[in-house]
Amino acid sequence: KNRKIFQPFIEIIYESGYLFLISDLEKSTLKNVLTYFRINKEFSEQHLLVIFYNLLCIMKVMHSSNLLCRSIRPENIIVNSEC
């Protein structure tokens, strides 16, 4: 087993060709945040740009690390209360 600890993830485990990311439990997903702001009309363009910039940054990190995720969609992206 190959184990490393990074933040914000508690643990990253690579075993038998699989990569497991173990993190703290977050209470929301990007889908929930986008739905809330769409309904309440409280979404600023700046907020949207920050969210998408962060998504592009993590995708760049994944790509440069030769990682692939087959299900990148809003309901699979966890967010914390600072989103």
Side-chain angles (χ1 to χ4, degrees):
K1 286 183 189 178
N2 188 3
R3 293 177 178 233
K4 293 185 179 181
I5 298 176
F6 294 95
Q7 287 299 328
F9 296 109
I10 295 172
E11 196 170 8
I12 297 177
I13 303 171
Y14 181 75
E15 182 178 315
S16 303
Y18 293 97
L19 181 68
F20 300 95
L21 305 175
I22 303 167
S23 70
D24 291 327
L25 178 64
E26 296 294 345
K27 295 180 180 179
S28 190
T29 66
L30 183 59
K31 181 179 180 179
N32 295 345
V33 170
L34 294 174
T35 301
Y36 171 81
F37 283 117
R38 182 175 43 99
I39 290 170
N40 294 307
K41 311 259 189 268
E42 295 178 11
F43 222 129
S44 72
E45 184 177 340
Q46 182 63 33
H47 196 173
L48 186 62
L49 289 173
V50 168
I51 289 172
F52 284 111
Y53 175 78
N54 287 327
L55 288 171
L56 290 173
C57 287
I58 192 61
M59 291 182 72
K60 181 179 190 280
V61 169
M62 289 176 63
H63 179 69
S64 64
S65 301
N66 292 323
L67 295 174
L68 173 69
C69 181
R70 65 186 182 116
S71 58
I72 297 176
R73 54 184 183 257
E75 57 267 21
N76 290 343
I77 299 172
I78 58 174
V79 295
N80 62 18
S81 59
E82 296 174 11
C83 180

